[in-house]
Amino acid sequence: MADHLYIGCNAHVAAIRVETGEEVWRTRLQGALLATSGQDTTVLEHEGRVYAGVNGHLYCLDATTGAILWHNDLPNMGHNDVTLSIGGHSVQFVAKHTHTHT
């Protein structure tokens, strides 16, 4: 939905209303039981669906409700961050850095 921002964090995906910051829905990605605090959750919205990757698992959620439509545990691919690409758009984590300004 054009008025929602989709975020992923610690094996959760949430839809946030852009105009108000209000949380519309939040979904726990149940199959990613190995996700720990600080685990990246990649999200990508496309044609009314939100695709999420976390800890070697891939999910498809309904963008309106957050309901999990399907889950693939990507057997034999490991448990790392999941890079997503669809419709000419992609999301990936290249490096993680912490910067401190003094």
Side-chain angles (χ1 to χ4, degrees):
M1 304 207 46
D3 61 340
H4 291 163
L5 170 68
Y6 300 98
I7 63 170
C9 185
N10 294 324
H12 289 82
V13 176
I16 307 297
R17 192 172 316 282
V18 175
E19 296 82 18
T20 64
E22 170 193 7
E23 186 174 302
V24 179
W25 55 256
R26 181 186 304 193
T27 301
R28 168 93 168 100
L29 304 177
Q30 296 296 327
L33 298 177
L34 298 176
T36 60
S37 178
Q39 182 68 45
D40 291 324
T41 304
T42 307
V43 294
L44 184 63
E45 185 271 334
H46 182 71
E47 297 183 355
R49 294 185 175 196
V50 176
Y51 300 91
V54 62
N55 203 24
H57 291 256
L58 178 64
Y59 295 84
C60 177
L61 290 78
D62 181 281
T64 304
T65 66
I68 297 173
L69 302 176
W70 53 258
H71 166 235
N72 183 333
D73 63 357
L74 303 173
N76 302 314
M77 290 186 75
H79 297 282
N80 293 320
D81 297 332
V82 177
T83 298
L84 304 174
S85 177
I86 193 169
H89 302 283
S90 65
V91 178
Q92 65 187 47
F93 292 97
V94 177
K96 300 175 189 177
H97 297 282
T98 303
H99 297 281
T100 305
H101 298 283
T102 55

